[in-house]
Structure formats: structure tokens, C-alpha cells
Amino acid sequence: MASDKFPEKADVYEHVEGGNGKEIQISDEERRRVLRKIDVHLLPFISVLYLLSFLDRANIGNAKIAGMATDAHLTGLRYNTLAAVFFIPYALAEIPSNILLKLVRPSRWIPSIMIAWGLVMTLMCLCNTFESLIAARVFLGLTESGLFPGVTFYLSLWYRRQDVALRIAIFFSAATVAGAFGGILAYGIEHMEGIAGLHGWQWIFCLEGIATIIVAFISYFFMHDYPTTATFLTGHEKQIIAQMLKEDTLGLATHYDKKFVWQALLDYNSYVLCIMYMGCLIPVYAIALFLPTIINTLGYSAANAQLLTIPPFAVGCIATIAVGYISDKHNKRGIYVIGPCVVSMVGYIVLITQTKAGVAYAGAVIAAVGVYPTIAVILAWTGSSAGGDVRKGVTLAIVIGLGNLGGICSSFIYLTAPRFFVGHGTIIGLLSLSITLALFCMWNFNRLNKEKEAHCAMHGIDDSRRGEFVDLGSESPLFRYTL
């Protein structure tokens, strides 16, 4: 049972201070003002959390060319195995984590898992063998698993479906910042070689892990749980956001029940979106894990390769936010998956066909510009395709969790330098698959919406009857899919 201080989201709708359960007139300007206020208090903070998360999982790519491969004797496929083992516990733990997030306050669950992976990352600096690095990466994947699906679900508790793509884009753009920032950090930290008996690459793990732990402790005091418990919102503002969310959910269930978990698990759309997500995520992880190596094999020194990873991530960040904004503005998803996928394919075609270092590097930049925006749009699409809080949380965990198994593929497709035909060719094929699935979802969701509209018209169903369908989730005749 929720306490008065931390009510369930269902309580939010009816017991907002000053609300009395009655609807109020809200102007567009008031909506925008409240959304801007929430943006200011939520987005910078959660973006820092994800920046640290992505930095900690991807810094192994920087450590590799900083000497880890030589010092830890990572011959053959050992580095690829290190990159891959992270994703197995990471994928398997995401659904349980999102269920726990619903049962436990976000401001307690998310900082706690941050401390756990920060400790793993810090202690990873003591690993200097392949076996010890494997163990550390397994525990890192387990402890990091809850952050990305958790925060994506958390955002859906604050924003309407039509507002969430831009916010996820801003949040996810922290991954591109992490890629750029990681290169700068690695370049500087490498010069700590020998201090305290540690190699420069070990200091990369140590210092970045300590930074995560510090931010996690701060998070306990500054992270807000729900709109009704947010101290930065006035009573009237809480009423505005509660009414916006109530309108958006169509009165669907907000409480926990295992039947909502099964609804998500048995919905074929969950797995279509999951494969689409995987097709775009494999290139994202490939860029994070192998971009320093790819640039290094183009003829640039290891130090310059660290620095040259910055531009692809920087432009990827800008593109992610821009596409998220336009997608929300038009309230469309499919076309904003297809377009960026085509752009990214052009980049990979350049990489696979060109031998000149400058041209191939330009291809890497184009590939990053295209693929990074797709992640935020697909996740916004996933959230808008699931009705009800628990079903939405589990669906997001399915898509993100199983989709992250694609990281195993990312770890083993970049083997033969310098052209990496297998890697680039595989990614071109996966992007084509994502485009095909996006077209299918647009067609299928449009078909389902027309069937629901016809059913409502035939049986005289309107919003006044929403209470009859509270437990039906996406199957409610009043629920509409975003295209």
C-alpha cells in the first residue's frame, strides 16, 4: 500500500492538491510552461546518469587501445568476448528491474543500482587478467541493467506519449556525449600510467567508477519520484500535469497486477519493436565499442584515434535531439526511424567501399548521425504502443532487454581490419531489417486503429465508457496506436 507521502500514480490523478478529482481548463501555454519546468528539473539530471552509465560500459573500447589489450594479453577473440559478456546479464535483468521500479520509489531504486555498478567499475581497475576482466564485465552488466529501461519508463510517468520522444532523445543523447567525453577523458587519463602501480587504462576504470558513485549519492537527495511528490511543482501545476497524464492514459490501469505483465509478454508487437530496436542498437554499440579501433586502423595514432572519436558522437548528439523534437512535433514515429536508418546505411556503404582514411572517417560520422536518433524514436514508439503503466514498463523492458542482446552481435562482427567487411555488411543488413519492420508497424498500427474506430462507432463507445476497459491495455477499443 502506498504511503500518503509517496502515492501510487492512480492516486495522483484523483488526489492532486486542489484538484478534487475535477477537470480544469488548461491552455496550451500552461501545458508548455509546466512541461518546461519539468524538463529543467528532470532532464539534465537523468542525462548525467545515463552519460555515466554509457561511459562505464563503453570505456573498454578506449582502454583497449590505451594498452589493455597488450597488458591483459587479450589475444584472438578475448576482447570481443569481454565486450559481449556484459550484455547477457544486462538483458536478463531488465524486466525484473522495471517491475521493481514500479514497486519501489524511483529515487531509491535508481541511485542504488548506480552505486552498485559504480563500485564494480571502480574495482575493475584491479583487474589485469582476461579472467578477472570477464567477471567484472558480467557484474557490470547485471548492475547497470536497470538504468536505461528504468529511466525510459520513469519518463512515461511524467510526460504524455506525444511529448516523450524529445525527452528520451535528450536523455539518450547523453550516450553520444559519453562517447565524445570518453575519448577526451581517455586521452588525458592515459598519462597517469604508472601512478600507484596502475596502468593508464586501469585509471580510466577507477576514476570513471568513482565519478558514478559520487553522482549516485547525490541522486538520493535530488531525484524526484512522481509529479505529486515533486517539491518544485505548485498545487495547481500538479493538477495540470495530473490531468494531462489522465487524458493520455485513457483511464487505463496504473496499479500492479501480474496479468499486465502477461499482456506485455504475449503481445506480438513487443517483439516486432524489439527486433527493430535490435537492428538499430547493434550499430550503436558497434560504434561505441569499435570506433576507436576503426579509426586507429585507418592509419591514425592511438592518441589521435581517441580524439577523433569526438566528432561522430558530437554530431550524433545534435541529430538525436533534432529528430526527437521533429518526431514529437508531428506526433509520428515510423518515418523518423526509416529516414535516419537510410542515412546511416549511406555512412556504412562509404565505410565498406572506401580506402582513403579521410573519406572513410566521413563515412563513420554519417553512420553515427543516422543511427543514434533511431533509438529514442523507437523507444517512444514502444511506450506509446502499450496501454497501462505496468504493461508499458514491461514492454519497454522486453524491447530494451532483449534488444540489448544485440550487443553480443556487435562484439563479434568487427574482426578483420582494416576494411571490416563482415561488420559493416552485417550492419547494413540490420538497418534494412529495421526499415522493413518500421514499415510493417506503420501499416499494422494504422489497420488496428481503423478496426477500433469502426468498433467504437458500431457499439457507441466513447470516453464516457472508459471505465469499462481499464484493464484491457492496448486492446481497449479507446486506445490508439501512434504511427
Side-chain angles (χ1 to χ4, degrees), residues 189 191-200 202-203:
I189 295 173
H191 294 89
M192 296 180 68
E193 176 74 30
I195 296 176
L198 298 177
H199 294 293
Q202 289 173 303
W203 277 111

Side-chain angles (χ1 to χ4, degrees), residues 355-372:
T355 56
K356 293 183 179 179
V359 177
Y361 178 73
V365 174
I366 295 169
V369 168
V371 77
Y372 270 101

